[in-house]
Amino acid sequence: MKFDGGPVGLSTLAVAVGEEQDTIEDVYEPYLLMQGLIKRTPRGRAATPAAFLHLGLNSPAAAVDPALF
């Protein structure tokens, strides 16, 4: 599955990584939020540019020209 760093619902995320929703919310999510690797949005959890940097990947947000906005 590829979400391109966009928001993903908790149930979709749980299925994708093979974990229970409660485990993600109670164990993984607090750590990832503290490290600045994910953010919670009204539409779901989203990877931050720091997450892509940590993984050595190009951030989809980096491809957007800030001058356009």
Side-chain angles (χ1 to χ4, degrees):
M1 285 186 197
K2 186 173 179 182
F3 303 110
D4 292 326
V8 178
L10 183 58
S11 60
T12 303
L13 187 58
V15 169
V17 298
E19 281 286 359
E20 294 291 326
Q21 291 183 30
D22 291 340
T23 303
I24 292 173
E25 262 189 320
D26 297 339
V27 179
Y28 300 116
E29 188 175 61
Y31 176 79
L32 294 171
L33 287 167
M34 261 186 357
Q35 297 300 312
L37 300 175
I38 64 168
K39 60 183 175 183
R40 291 180 74 174
T41 71
R43 293 179 44 209
R45 281 76 175 158
T48 64
F52 285 92
L53 181 64
H54 178 76
L55 296 170
L57 302 172
N58 292 327
S59 172
V64 177
D65 184 0
L68 294 175
F69 304 100

